[in-house]
Amino acid sequence: MNPQANSLHIPDTQSERDERHLAIQRVGVKDVRYPLTLKVAGAVQSTAARWSLDVALPAEQKGTHMSRFVAWLDAQQEPMDAARLNTELAAMLEKLHADEGRIEARFSFFLRKRAPVSGLESLLDYQGAWIAERRQGQTVIWAEVGVPVKSLCPCSKEISDYGAHNQRSLVTIRVAFKDPVAGAMEWHELVRFAEESASSEIWPMLKRADEKWVTERAYENPKFVEDLVRDVALRLNAEPRIGRYRVDVENFESIHNHSAWARIERD
Amino acid sequence: MNPQANSLHIPDTQSERDERHLAIQRVGVKDVRYPLTLKVAGAVQSTAARWSLDVALPAEQKGTHMSRFVAWLDAQQEPMDAARLNTELAAMLEKLHADEGRIEARFSFFLRKRAPVSGLESLLDYQGAWIAERRQGQTVIWAEVGVPVKSLCPCSKEISDYGAHNQRSLVTIRVAFKDPVAGAMEWHELVRFAEESASSEIWPMLKRADEKWVTERAYENPKFVEDLVRDVALRLNAEPRIGRYRVDVENFESIHNHSAWARIERD
Amino acid sequence: MNPQANSLHIPDTQSERDERHLAIQRVGVKDVRYPLTLKVAGAVQSTAARWSLDVALPAEQKGTHMSRFVAWLDAQQEPMDAARLNTELAAMLEKLHADEGRIEARFSFFLRKRAPVSGLESLLDYQGAWIAERRQGQTVIWAEVGVPVKSLCPCSKEISDYGAHNQRSLVTIRVAFKDPVAGAMEWHELVRFAEESASSEIWPMLKRADEKWVTERAYENPKFVEDLVRDVALRLNAEPRIGRYRVDVENFESIHNHSAWARIERD
Amino acid sequence: MNPQANSLHIPDTQSERDERHLAIQRVGVKDVRYPLTLKVAGAVQSTAARWSLDVALPAEQKGTHMSRFVAWLDAQQEPMDAARLNTELAAMLEKLHADEGRIEARFSFFLRKRAPVSGLESLLDYQGAWIAERRQGQTVIWAEVGVPVKSLCPCSKEISDYGAHNQRSLVTIRVAFKDPVAGAMEWHELVRFAEESASSEIWPMLKRADEKWVTERAYENPKFVEDLVRDVALRLNAEPRIGRYRVDVENFESIHNHSAWARIERD
């Protein structure tokens, strides 16, 4: 693979023996920007992802081989899904001669949405992540979505003669699939857990009739940060394909300069 | 100052002559974290600021002396205000043997606020900046504040049967003082331009009676991003101590995943 | 286009007359994530860009029509280049009934590079931006690239018995094309201005023989931040297709916790 | 405390009973900027910290009382240390009627350092954090430091005829104190674990004689990211006051546009 290097007899410092008797749980590359393709709602989307890849290093080994992570990245040509991630994590570990390791990719993706009254279409952006981790012989594949929604405060509505404070919220759902090969979910399914739990979902393009709809819908449907996180968790509890999960909700409060925030986690 | 270096005859590469015939408008240090003290509402506040310092370098000079910027920073012990900044910019330029240059410091500061009904007190954080720039024999001293407020949409209010979408907004005001020595303004005065122009000002700590007040106040006082930027500009126009200015308003829209934004600038 | 809204007689608050006699130089949408396709080195790349779109608003007009910006975005299907940007800015201004306005899109793109000795290929990421602005009847189209490179300090090399401190640098080049329709440049051409001026260019994947090459190349080719910014400027001065430009170089100093930074600008 | 609210008979929606049978592990406020004072090397430093405060909420309770977190924050007037944090976490939980909860504060602090040859003094900035967490009747107090240092690559040094690539690194050490009341450590002690393990420590202000020292010191003392993380872990293992810990090292590689990264964790 690198005959020229060999012919020069360039020393391989990383392969030497280490005498500190300290294993390293995770070592690798961080924040590598590399392309990622994924399937969203039946079509292939291509984007620039931020990747972090690492492996466990035994106590006696001095260093890992960093360039192999990039070689692995460069070989990813097909759209990434849970089943492929499962296979490719194994391939990465083999390439690095490692028993344990982790892949994380963070990216934006888009869903085409129709405004609720005008029916006009536009693309809403979501934050997505794939995380694949192998520890003690077990592999877990996580999918994560960050979904922007609208929340309206029940207390503010109840105590005020008119109006109610509301704001943008970010719902972040991270789920592990019980069966990543046969039982993974689609990105738009994960997104709907959040959008259906919010005071209202949101859109990039709204005409006045749509804006009226969203305003009234949110007012009819007030949610504390605690309500929103619980309503998402209830939906996740009802979904048999999901094992462990974690839901975070952050409300960028319009009456404060800080966020209200809540988390429910199921192990 | 550095006799040891001299006695070692360490070559001074930066002081050599450059033959490319290209002046550099700005060269220096960027994102240095260093303490800053400032006077806010009569009391001294101490914080960690992010500083960027640079000077113009003539075509024949190879390099500037970077360590002198840090020496200048380390000498700043007194609370910084516009008059001192004016003097200290001159001192920095002299230290660097430069005719033109620029100082920028970015930091957080706090104002103690009383909630509108309960009267409970808490500290709201604002983003501040000092910018001092000397070009072609003229020095300008800018003060900048970033003020979080609440905006409520007039269109949403008018077209909806109940409620109105609202959100946190950030108003950024940058003003140059006509006379930085005798006619500078206080931080809390700049903040009030923004807070008085918003649908409502905001507080870190609100009891229910306060929350009702803020909710209703915003509903009674709807503002587009265009209204907010214009109302701030009207106030700045009425203030004789201010010369050039720039106002930015960013609404973190609660019905979209993007911001509405506007700017008015006076030269 | 929006008959339902019309049939409901929803009031159009934004179209009312404003009485504050204050024009707004820029108003629009900020940080909208929307797809962007562009041609890089002969192939089409698709990515998620961060867009900011705004127009000038005359004093007598109360508000702009925010949803039209998103409609414009949604209509961008073809790969964006300077000529198209020129046309599409005009289309956006017409849609918004505006005389002046601005389009900015920020994104990552990739170039396939061959390591200098092993010849192994990998993709390096660059930050790109398109900026199109129309003011007082003149349109200017800017392209911007952010290019990561390596810089090695000439002073450190000269004064030290062995070694020399070096670090990652970011070279940001923004150029206006004299003729955006017939005389635009390719992304890889802009990138080369930076890579050829650095102590060494960099790669995502390097084998040991490559690492030796990069290390020695940088050591043979030391550059202050002032040298690097000047060497890029010299190359830009020699390129007839470029009008105005601005070059920033930031060295993430390995001997400090701050950056050395320089800028040359040509109007 | 809020008699006005009571006299208005404002409904208290958050105190209602919740019927979803879902406990919330963490709910509270996030990213509140509030002042923090701390003792560093014997003197008091005052800064603006970013706080996140949360508590566990039982299944039957509808919501927490967000304003009490800010009231708790406003009451913190004394310099924060591990013993005080231990007490104040208990006070916060009592105020919120909660059994479990968490306090996190992130901030910058400074240490005055003498350059190695010239002896000139300047302030280096570090990132600090306090984390206090109570779960299942146990309280843990963590201190975290982010220390910028210099790393030089052993492989690059060995294979190259001259020079060696080096870069800024960030070492992040998080330790739990076995006895937070009697056995906490000082900030500068935690910092030294990182600075003594690096190829070289760094300074904000260096004269040429110092720069020569740092350059040669790093060249004599090459470290892979694996070496650096192990050498810090060895030092932590030798310190009896520390219980659990986590060390992260990130090298902002000067030959790539991504980081090399490693972590050792002890439970």
Side-chain angles (χ1 to χ4, degrees):
Chain A
M1 201 172 186
N2 189 358
Q4 197 152 7
N6 290 341
S7 69
L8 289 169
H9 299 292
I10 294 186
D12 182 358
T13 322
Q14 284 96 332
S15 301
E16 291 170 9
R17 205 174 160 74
D18 198 88
E19 305 294 348
R20 274 161 296 198
H21 307 294
L22 270 171
I24 299 178
Q25 283 97 331
R26 296 175 59 186
V27 56
V29 293
K30 188 165 177 280
D31 290 334
V32 191
R33 279 205 177 264
Y34 230 83
L36 172 79
T37 53
L38 62 162
K39 270 208 194 113
V40 182
V44 172
Q45 291 187 12
S46 170
T47 189
R50 202 158 42 83
W51 299 79
S52 295
L53 310 170
D54 53 76
V55 293
L57 192 74
E60 67 278 6
Q61 210 174 315
K62 190 163 175 58
T64 190
H65 288 275
M66 297 287 184
S67 66
R68 295 185 190 172
F69 291 108
V70 183
W72 177 90
L73 265 179
D74 201 62
Q76 306 307 315
Q77 303 288 344
E78 297 298 306
M80 189 61 79
D81 59 24
R84 175 172 297 273
L85 199 53
N86 194 53
T87 310
E88 291 297 327
L89 173 59
M92 186 185 90
L93 294 180
E94 201 186 319
K95 213 179 186 79
L96 275 295
H97 307 307
D99 292 329
E100 303 192 333
R102 192 175 181 279
I103 294 169
E104 180 175 319
R106 305 208 151 263
F107 47 86
S108 295
F109 69 91
F110 297 96
L111 287 174
R112 182 154 286 273
K113 299 187 69 173
R114 289 172 60 90
V117 179
S118 71
L120 286 173
E121 294 191 359
S122 55
L123 291 168
L124 186 57
D125 64 304
Y126 303 89
Q127 298 305 306
W130 280 120
I131 301 166
E133 189 157 16
R134 186 165 183 85
R135 300 273 166 227
Q136 301 179 303
Q138 295 287 100
T139 296
V140 183
I141 309 287
W142 299 88
E144 183 182 301
V145 285
V147 182
V149 299
K150 183 183 181 64
S151 63
L152 185 138
C153 179
C155 170
S156 170
K157 175 180 173 179
E158 179 144 343
I159 65 182
S160 305
D161 292 341
Y162 31 77
H165 79 80
N166 52 77
Q167 52 268 318
R168 201 189 300 161
S169 299
L170 181 67
V171 180
T172 305
I173 301 174
R174 181 188 287 204
V175 301
F177 298 121
K178 282 187 192 157
D179 179 352
V181 179
M185 299 178 67
E186 305 278 341
W187 291 105
H188 67 270
E189 294 180 282
L190 294 171
V191 162
R192 291 310 290 167
F193 290 132
E195 293 187 336
E196 289 170 3
S197 303
S199 293
S200 175
E201 57 184 300
I202 64 178
W203 286 265
M205 181 159 48
L206 295 172
K207 290 293 180 181
R208 280 193 301 283
D210 303 311
E211 190 174 346
K212 174 179 161 65
W213 187 95
V214 171
T215 303
E216 296 176 353
R217 159 93 184 151
Y219 192 81
E220 292 158 357
N221 201 22
K223 301 261 184 144
F224 286 120
V225 72
E226 293 94 338
D227 295 318
L228 190 30
V229 77
R230 276 174 168 141
D231 288 349
V232 174
L234 281 180
R235 280 174 165 80
L236 298 177
N237 287 345
E239 170 55 58
R241 289 172 291 179
I242 294 174
R244 295 162 61 189
Y245 68 74
R246 192 177 81 186
V247 190
D248 288 1
V249 180
E250 179 168 8
N251 288 2
F252 305 100
E253 297 286 293
S254 60
I255 61 170
H256 301 304
N257 196 27
H258 60 256
S259 294
W261 178 84
R263 169 180 291 179
I264 291 180
E265 205 160 353
R266 183 177 75 185
D267 266 332
Chain B
M1 200 173 188
N2 190 358
Q4 196 152 9
N6 289 341
S7 70
L8 290 168
H9 300 291
I10 294 186
D12 182 357
T13 322
Q14 284 97 331
S15 301
E16 290 169 8
R17 207 177 158 72
D18 199 90
E19 306 293 349
R20 274 162 294 199
H21 307 293
L22 268 172
I24 299 178
Q25 283 98 330
R26 295 175 59 186
V27 57
V29 293
K30 187 165 177 281
D31 290 335
V32 192
R33 279 204 179 264
Y34 230 81
L36 172 78
T37 53
L38 63 162
K39 270 208 195 112
V40 182
V44 172
Q45 291 187 12
S46 169
T47 190
R50 203 157 41 83
W51 299 80
S52 294
L53 310 171
D54 54 76
V55 293
L57 192 75
E60 66 278 6
Q61 210 175 315
K62 190 163 174 59
T64 190
H65 288 275
M66 297 286 184
S67 66
R68 296 184 190 173
F69 291 109
V70 184
W72 177 90
L73 266 178
D74 200 62
Q76 306 306 315
Q77 303 288 344
E78 298 296 307
M80 189 60 81
D81 60 22
R84 175 172 297 275
L85 200 53
N86 195 52
T87 310
E88 291 297 327
L89 174 58
M92 185 185 91
L93 295 181
E94 201 186 319
K95 214 178 184 78
L96 272 297
H97 307 308
D99 292 329
E100 303 192 332
R102 192 174 181 280
I103 294 168
E104 181 175 317
R106 304 207 151 264
F107 47 85
S108 294
F109 68 93
F110 297 97
L111 287 174
R112 184 155 283 274
K113 299 187 68 173
R114 289 172 60 89
V117 179
S118 70
L120 286 174
E121 294 192 358
S122 56
L123 291 168
L124 186 56
D125 64 303
Y126 302 89
Q127 298 306 306
W130 280 120
I131 301 165
E133 190 157 16
R134 187 167 182 83
R135 300 274 166 227
Q136 302 179 305
Q138 295 286 101
T139 295
V140 184
I141 309 288
W142 299 88
E144 185 182 299
V145 286
V147 183
V149 298
K150 183 183 181 61
S151 64
L152 184 139
C153 178
C155 170
S156 171
K157 175 181 173 178
E158 178 143 346
I159 64 181
S160 304
D161 292 341
Y162 31 78
H165 78 80
N166 51 77
Q167 53 267 319
R168 201 188 302 160
S169 299
L170 181 67
V171 180
T172 305
I173 302 175
R174 181 187 287 205
V175 300
F177 297 121
K178 282 187 191 156
D179 179 353
V181 178
M185 298 178 68
E186 306 278 342
W187 290 105
H188 67 270
E189 294 179 282
L190 294 171
V191 162
R192 293 309 292 166
F193 290 132
E195 294 188 337
E196 291 170 1
S197 303
S199 293
S200 175
E201 56 184 301
I202 65 177
W203 286 265
M205 181 160 47
L206 295 172
K207 291 291 177 180
R208 282 195 299 283
D210 303 312
E211 189 173 347
K212 175 180 160 67
W213 188 95
V214 170
T215 303
E216 295 176 354
R217 159 91 183 152
Y219 192 80
E220 292 158 357
N221 199 22
K223 302 260 184 147
F224 286 120
V225 71
E226 294 95 337
D227 294 319
L228 190 32
V229 76
R230 276 173 168 144
D231 288 348
V232 174
L234 281 180
R235 279 173 166 82
L236 297 177
N237 287 346
E239 170 54 60
R241 290 172 289 179
I242 295 173
R244 296 161 60 189
Y245 69 74
R246 192 178 79 187
V247 189
D248 288 2
V249 180
E250 180 168 8
N251 289 359
F252 305 101
E253 296 287 293
S254 61
I255 60 171
H256 301 305
N257 196 26
H258 61 257
S259 296
W261 178 85
R263 170 179 290 178
I264 291 180
E265 204 160 354
R266 183 177 76 183
D267 268 331
Chain C
M1 200 174 187
N2 189 359
Q4 198 152 6
N6 289 342
S7 69
L8 289 169
H9 298 292
I10 294 186
D12 183 359
T13 322
Q14 284 97 331
S15 300
E16 290 169 9
R17 206 176 159 74
D18 198 88
E19 305 295 348
R20 273 162 296 198
H21 307 294
L22 269 172
I24 298 178
Q25 283 97 330
R26 296 176 58 186
V27 56
V29 293
K30 187 166 177 282
D31 289 335
V32 192
R33 278 204 177 265
Y34 230 82
L36 172 78
T37 52
L38 62 163
K39 271 209 194 112
V40 182
V44 172
Q45 291 187 12
S46 170
T47 191
R50 202 157 42 81
W51 298 79
S52 295
L53 310 170
D54 53 75
V55 293
L57 192 75
E60 67 279 5
Q61 211 174 313
K62 190 163 175 58
T64 189
H65 287 276
M66 296 287 185
S67 67
R68 295 184 191 173
F69 291 109
V70 183
W72 177 89
L73 266 178
D74 201 63
Q76 306 306 315
Q77 304 287 346
E78 298 295 308
M80 188 61 79
D81 59 23
R84 175 172 297 274
L85 199 54
N86 194 52
T87 310
E88 290 298 326
L89 174 59
M92 185 185 90
L93 295 181
E94 200 185 319
K95 213 178 186 81
L96 274 295
H97 307 307
D99 292 329
E100 302 191 334
R102 192 174 180 281
I103 293 168
E104 180 175 319
R106 304 207 152 265
F107 47 86
S108 295
F109 69 91
F110 297 96
L111 287 174
R112 184 155 282 275
K113 298 186 69 172
R114 289 172 59 90
V117 179
S118 70
L120 286 173
E121 294 191 0
S122 55
L123 291 168
L124 185 56
D125 64 305
Y126 303 88
Q127 299 306 306
W130 280 121
I131 301 165
E133 190 157 16
R134 186 165 183 84
R135 301 275 167 226
Q136 302 179 303
Q138 296 285 102
T139 296
V140 183
I141 309 289
W142 299 88
E144 184 182 301
V145 285
V147 183
V149 299
K150 182 183 181 63
S151 63
L152 185 139
C153 178
C155 170
S156 171
K157 175 180 173 179
E158 179 144 344
I159 65 182
S160 305
D161 292 341
Y162 32 78
H165 79 80
N166 51 77
Q167 52 268 318
R168 201 189 301 160
S169 301
L170 182 66
V171 180
T172 305
I173 302 174
R174 182 188 286 204
V175 301
F177 298 120
K178 282 187 192 157
D179 179 353
V181 179
M185 298 177 67
E186 306 279 342
W187 292 105
H188 67 270
E189 295 179 282
L190 293 171
V191 162
R192 292 310 291 167
F193 289 132
E195 294 187 337
E196 290 170 2
S197 303
S199 292
S200 174
E201 58 184 301
I202 65 178
W203 286 265
M205 182 160 45
L206 294 172
K207 291 293 179 180
R208 280 193 300 282
D210 303 311
E211 190 174 345
K212 175 179 159 66
W213 188 94
V214 170
T215 304
E216 295 175 354
R217 159 89 184 154
Y219 192 81
E220 293 158 357
N221 200 22
K223 300 262 184 146
F224 286 120
V225 71
E226 294 94 337
D227 295 318
L228 188 32
V229 77
R230 275 173 168 143
D231 288 349
V232 174
L234 281 180
R235 279 174 165 81
L236 298 177
N237 287 345
E239 170 54 59
R241 290 171 290 180
I242 294 174
R244 296 162 60 188
Y245 68 74
R246 192 177 80 187
V247 189
D248 288 3
V249 180
E250 179 168 7
N251 288 1
F252 305 101
E253 296 286 293
S254 60
I255 61 169
H256 302 304
N257 196 26
H258 60 256
S259 295
W261 179 85
R263 170 179 290 178
I264 291 179
E265 204 160 353
R266 184 177 75 183
D267 267 330
Chain D
M1 201 172 188
N2 189 359
Q4 196 151 8
N6 290 341
S7 70
L8 289 169
H9 299 291
I10 294 185
D12 182 359
T13 322
Q14 284 97 331
S15 301
E16 290 169 9
R17 208 177 156 72
D18 199 90
E19 306 293 350
R20 273 162 295 199
H21 307 293
L22 268 173
I24 299 179
Q25 284 98 330
R26 294 176 60 186
V27 56
V29 293
K30 187 166 178 281
D31 290 335
V32 192
R33 279 205 178 262
Y34 230 81
L36 172 78
T37 53
L38 63 162
K39 269 208 196 112
V40 182
V44 172
Q45 291 188 14
S46 169
T47 190
R50 202 158 41 82
W51 298 79
S52 295
L53 310 172
D54 54 75
V55 293
L57 193 74
E60 66 278 6
Q61 212 175 313
K62 192 164 174 57
T64 190
H65 287 276
M66 297 286 184
S67 66
R68 296 184 190 173
F69 291 109
V70 184
W72 178 90
L73 265 179
D74 201 62
Q76 305 307 314
Q77 302 288 344
E78 298 296 307
M80 189 61 82
D81 59 23
R84 175 171 297 275
L85 200 53
N86 194 53
T87 310
E88 291 297 328
L89 174 59
M92 185 185 92
L93 294 180
E94 201 187 318
K95 214 180 184 80
L96 273 296
H97 307 306
D99 292 328
E100 302 193 333
R102 192 175 182 280
I103 294 169
E104 181 175 319
R106 304 208 151 264
F107 46 86
S108 294
F109 68 92
F110 297 97
L111 287 174
R112 183 155 284 274
K113 299 187 69 173
R114 289 172 60 89
V117 179
S118 71
L120 286 173
E121 294 192 358
S122 56
L123 292 167
L124 185 57
D125 65 303
Y126 302 88
Q127 298 306 307
W130 280 120
I131 300 166
E133 190 157 16
R134 187 166 182 82
R135 301 273 165 227
Q136 302 178 305
Q138 295 285 101
T139 296
V140 184
I141 309 288
W142 298 89
E144 184 182 301
V145 286
V147 183
V149 299
K150 183 182 181 63
S151 64
L152 185 138
C153 178
C155 170
S156 171
K157 175 180 172 178
E158 178 142 345
I159 65 182
S160 304
D161 292 341
Y162 32 77
H165 78 80
N166 52 78
Q167 52 267 320
R168 201 190 301 161
S169 300
L170 181 67
V171 180
T172 304
I173 301 174
R174 181 187 289 204
V175 301
F177 298 121
K178 282 188 191 156
D179 179 353
V181 179
M185 299 178 67
E186 307 277 343
W187 291 105
H188 66 270
E189 294 179 282
L190 294 170
V191 162
R192 293 310 292 167
F193 290 132
E195 294 187 338
E196 291 171 1
S197 303
S199 292
S200 175
E201 55 184 303
I202 65 178
W203 286 265
M205 181 160 47
L206 294 173
K207 291 291 179 181
R208 280 194 301 283
D210 303 311
E211 189 173 346
K212 174 180 162 66
W213 188 94
V214 171
T215 303
E216 295 175 355
R217 159 89 184 155
Y219 192 81
E220 293 158 356
N221 200 21
K223 302 260 184 148
F224 285 121
V225 72
E226 295 94 338
D227 295 318
L228 190 32
V229 77
R230 276 174 168 143
D231 288 348
V232 174
L234 280 181
R235 280 173 165 82
L236 298 177
N237 287 346
E239 170 53 59
R241 290 171 290 179
I242 293 174
R244 297 161 60 189
Y245 68 74
R246 192 177 78 187
V247 190
D248 288 2
V249 180
E250 179 168 8
N251 289 0
F252 305 101
E253 296 287 293
S254 60
I255 62 170
H256 302 304
N257 196 27
H258 61 257
S259 295
W261 177 86
R263 169 179 290 179
I264 290 180
E265 205 160 354
R266 184 177 76 183
D267 267 331

